[in-house]
Amino acid sequence: KLTMANLTADSESVILTALYPEDGAIYARFCNYSDNSATAAFTPALGKVVAETDLLGNKLADSNGQMEFHPWQIKTLRIEL
């Protein structure tokens, strides 16, 4: 069995919406499609989550893959290989 990544969330409303390479890294974008808050953890099989970014890839904060979502919030993680 090949696992590319693991997403654990306390709600089924948090989903991975995009996974793409850019600027020598991989970006993973998530959305909480709910009127409720949620938490999630993302662990890639290769590389390491290093930052949360905005939609343009600008660093917002260091990250280890743990995310807290407000309702209908989008988050993007930068993964360094």
Side-chain angles (χ1 to χ4, degrees):
K1 180 179 175 181
L2 177 63
T3 302
M4 293 179 59
N6 186 40
L7 174 62
T8 306
D10 67 354
S11 171
E12 291 182 2
S13 64
V14 176
I15 64 169
L16 176 67
T17 60
L19 186 65
Y20 59 94
E22 190 170 296
D23 297 330
I26 302 293
Y27 288 82
R29 184 161 295 142
F30 304 86
C31 185
N32 175 21
Y33 286 98
S34 172
D35 290 328
N36 301 310
S37 297
T39 61
F42 181 72
T43 308
L46 297 172
K48 179 181 177 183
V49 175
V50 296
E52 180 180 337
T53 70
D54 63 15
L55 294 174
L56 297 175
N58 300 308
K59 183 178 177 179
L60 297 174
D62 291 333
S63 177
N64 62 2
Q66 302 292 319
M67 299 173 281
E68 293 186 15
F69 290 88
H70 297 294
W72 300 98
Q73 186 175 22
I74 296 170
K75 290 193 176 254
T76 304
L77 299 178
R78 179 182 171 101
I79 302 155
E80 302 252 331
L81 300 175

